[in-house]
Amino acid sequence: MIPELGHFALALAVALGLAQAILPLWGAYRRDARLMEAAPALAVGQFVAMAISFGALAWSAVVSDFSVLNIAENSNSMEPLIYKITGTWGNHEGSILFWCLILTVCGAAVAAFGGNLPSSLRARVIGVLGAAGVGFQLFALLESDPFVRLSPAPLDGRDMNPLLQDPGLAMHPPILYTGYVGFAVPFAFAVAALLEGRIDAAWGRWVRPWTLAAWCFLTGGIALGSWWAYYELGWGGFWFWDPVENASLLPWLTGTALLHSALVVEKREALKVWTVLLAIGTFSLSLSGTFLVRSGILNSVHAFANDPARGVFILALLGLVIGGSLLLFALRAPALAATGIFAPVSREGALVLNNILLCSIAAVVLTGTTYPLFADLLLGEKLSVGAPFFNATVFPLAIPLFAAMSFGPMLAWKRAALAPALMKLWWAALVAAAVGLLAAGVLRAALLPALALAASAWLILGAFADIAARIALFRLPLPASLRRLTGLSRSSFGTTLAHAGLSITIAGIAAMSLAQSAIVLVHPGEVAHVGGYDWQLVDLHDRAGPNYAARVATIRISRAGHPVTVLAPERRSFPVQQINTTEAKISTNLLRDLYAVLGEERDGGAVLRLHVNPLAPWIWLGALVMACGGLISLADRRLRVGAPSRRRAGSAVPA
Amino acid sequence: MNRRLILLAPFAAVLVAGVGFLAMLEREQEGKFDPRGVPSMLIGKPVPDFTLPGDPGFAASDLRGRPILVNFFASWCEPCIEEAPALMQIKASGVVIYGIAYKDKPDATAAFLARHGNPFARVAHDAPGRVAIDWGVTGVPETYLIDPQGIVRWRYVGPLGPAAISAELTPLLRRYA
């Protein structure tokens, strides 16, 4: 009964979505206020229908209703409750349904928070979101129905992939998807603007918070995924240039570019056409990334069971959404005239440089990810593009990006001089050079890590110097500077924090090249010496988990005789799926990670892999700081202030 | 006019990409396009000559006298982790597997094998990746079956799993034993 209810609610969402796509857009075209006013209610209605539908699937998983095919294939009665719930979005059908749910959340959010938008723009944005949503809900309903029943129902389910049974990964898809799908809102704003034929500073101001919100989630989602790879895959790496990882990196790169170019639209009414293209491109990359992975074209460990027939449906949908919006762009963009002009050396110029470099990196990653496919199709050539290509092409583009990042916020709008910015930053450049030389000389870091460490110092000092310049630190008396500090806008704090966060991440990534590791065979009681620590294997024992059996090694770690910590890495075997996983155990003090993995056992001893990873937590800590910077910027008053008419209307309401 | 053409370029690029993807999907359905690889040009031919270092390493001339599986792998390759249990299972059934570590550092390879189990009778290092080019390796992991005369009989691209082992490998092993 409950699954049928979910199925019905999905069909209802499609019907509401159709109305949401047609009525407001038609109303905006005909200037019919009543049709336009229907948009928010339809968006909320579609969200409620999708929430019921997804809730029904989650409920079926929680009560282990194995008469539902999807639950029987991906869940198991022995599974802990949390993984029963998170398992609903850990498989193909469930994840598509979840994707659709988040898109309706976006629509409902625009309906709820978009009260200050002009009614025709709001109607068009919600209409475009509805049109995009309907396609994918139809896909869920027709091609990947999660509510298909199974008769007779099996006694127990097949369980989900044990690698995915992990608290970090449980939260990874919702956050990542919110990031992906969140870019649907800037996309809808871009298409709506093309339909309206008008873009002004207000449009930039409206589109920026939505972009920021999506960007924060995407940043967090990518970081969580990479963190998961670090501790769950258990071999110390954190980024593998896998097609799925690249698929999440691409919209992040163009989304970051969009964030900066929308700023130029807002402040200077320039780069309009480019910003619209970036908004369309970012969502297109999100869409292609999420869906091409499922079509079986891009292969990866992350891939769900795939089926080329489904792929054709998805490709047709992508063609409609992406192709349609770009055709509209080609037809309508010529009408969007740029008004703001600026000199090459200016804040706008710096942001253009940022956009060029970010988009170049995105182009390189996109090429590396898809080139093997097209080489195969056109030339019949088989080749693989891996980490060496990406490392060799991305980093040389990233270094000038970092170098320019500290300058950008120091330059004035419209026309600026480099000399004053250089005057404010010379000490940061000196310290950065010293850090780089120290890293190369004392720590014996290779060229790229040394450069990256220098860049990290440069960025964080640049961020500090920017704040110092704004509050005239050391030039005014301290109390006056502090007064200026409290008067600073949240968005400039946000910028500083996000740039500082990137610097922390870069330091973490660079320091990983200085990590020490060893593989040792030790018997209980014996001690291994790795990275300045003494690792004593205390014992090996068995432990029973809820749906697995584990072998546990207890390792006591000390340094110069002082106990540091005890780690208990495990090897788990999951009987239902016949898969073994290893649980690496990590102890961190934020400056270094002690990382232990239990390998196979021989002659009464165990093979241990032991790592000392300096600054490793900074990689994800930095991402968290970046996301926080985005959130603080999002809280800026200027982004929330509505149009004057709205405020008057609000004050007219009797208390 | 020029500006209009430039603004049309993104649409044109996406159109071309879309047609490309459609062609890939069509061929995938017909079984003609497989991102995991086409039949190797090596099938039915002798193993290309090579000597690779390792501990102890091996050469083309070592692949004689019994059916041997040659597995190209790397510590940086995620699907290789997925494949590890299957290789251990093949080893347990008595088949000899030689491993070639592709573009990998020896200590990283050793760490990988300690971590996921070592199914290989011998491991050789192809750090520059030249031997992999001669073999036509498209990516890691990739597995070749060499018959007792040193002739390549089968190639499998991507991680080996139970399905490929029972449907493809086992019958071939029986034929060339």
Side-chain angles (χ1 to χ4, degrees), chain A residues 255-513:
Chain A
T256 312
L258 172 63
L259 210 55
H260 291 86
S261 74
L263 193 64
V264 180
V265 175
E266 180 187 338
K267 304 281 190 209
R268 300 277 307 133
E269 296 214 12
L271 300 187
K272 289 181 194 172
V273 173
W274 172 243
T275 303
V276 165
L277 183 62
L278 268 183
I280 294 175
T282 302
F283 184 57
S284 303
L285 287 170
S286 290
L287 271 183
S288 318
T290 10
F291 287 96
L292 285 180
V293 165
R294 288 168 171 70
S295 69
I297 292 181
L298 287 178
N299 266 303
S300 130
V301 276
H302 297 68
F304 294 94
N306 45 51
D307 168 4
R310 277 177 174 175
V312 174
F313 194 117
I314 288 174
L315 194 64
L317 270 178
L318 292 186
L320 271 178
V321 175
I322 302 174
S325 55
L326 285 176
L327 190 61
L328 185 70
F329 173 80
L331 295 176
R332 302 298 295 266
L336 304 172
T339 48
I341 45 167
F342 53 88
V345 177
S346 62
R347 181 82 70 88
E348 296 95 316
L351 290 170
V352 167
L353 181 65
N354 147 307
N355 269 236
I356 291 172
L357 289 169
L358 280 170
C359 291
S360 307
I361 296 176
V364 160
V365 175
L366 182 66
T367 309
T369 312
T370 56
Y371 181 69
L373 298 172
F374 284 93
D376 189 358
L377 183 74
L378 299 175
L379 313 170
E381 248 177 68
K382 290 285 180 182
L383 43 89
S384 69
V385 174
F389 167 81
F390 291 107
N391 289 339
T393 49
V394 168
F395 291 115
L397 286 168
I399 295 289
L401 180 67
F402 300 150
M405 254 174 81
S406 286
F407 280 115
M410 299 249 171
L411 299 177
W413 293 100
K414 212 167 173 182
R415 172 175 296 151
L418 266 180
L422 280 173
M423 290 296 288
K424 288 177 202 153
L425 283 168
W426 64 270
W427 58 277
L430 267 186
V431 176
V435 166
L437 287 174
L438 233 112
V442 179
L443 301 173
R444 305 225 176 81
L447 176 66
L448 262 178
L451 267 178
L453 283 171
S456 163
W458 163 248
L459 281 183
I460 203 150
L461 293 173
F464 177 74
D466 181 35
I467 288 282
R470 276 167 201 273
I471 64 173
L473 191 65
F474 307 129
R475 283 190 286 120
L476 288 178
L478 198 60
S481 285
L482 285 180
R483 260 200 310 284
R484 284 193 172 204
L485 185 68
T486 50
L488 274 186
S489 71
R490 287 190 190 149
S491 71
S492 36
F493 267 125
T495 307
T496 308
L497 211 57
H499 284 193
L502 182 64
S503 130
I504 296 172
T505 296
I506 298 166
I509 293 173
M512 276 298 259
S513 68

Side-chain angles (χ1 to χ4, degrees), chain A residues 326-336, chain B residues 1-11:
Chain A
L326 285 176
L327 190 61
L328 185 70
F329 173 80
L331 295 176
R332 302 298 295 266
L336 304 172
Chain B
M1 192 57 217
N2 220 345
R3 185 171 141 91
R4 281 191 171 271
L5 275 183
I6 291 172
L7 293 176
L8 198 60
F11 175 73

Side-chain angles (χ1 to χ4, degrees), chain A residues 233-235 382 384 519 582 609, chain B residues 34 75 81-82 111 115 138:
Chain A
L233 291 182
W235 34 297
K382 290 285 180 182
S384 69
I519 302 146
T582 38
R609 202 156 46 78
Chain B
D34 181 1
S75 68
I81 301 174
E82 191 185 328
R115 163 84 170 68
T138 63

Side-chain angles (χ1 to χ4, degrees), chain A residues 6 10 50 52-58 88-89 91-104 136-137 139-141 144-147 177:
Chain A
L10 180 59
M50 273 313 297
I52 292 173
S53 181
F54 187 78
L57 186 65
T88 42
W89 55 68
N91 61 79
H92 174 85
E93 290 82 5
S95 68
I96 300 270
L97 196 68
F98 189 67
W99 198 96
C100 294
L101 171 68
I102 296 184
L103 190 59
T104 61
F136 294 98
Q137 288 157 6
F139 175 69
L141 197 63
S144 88
D145 183 358
F147 298 107
Y177 279 25

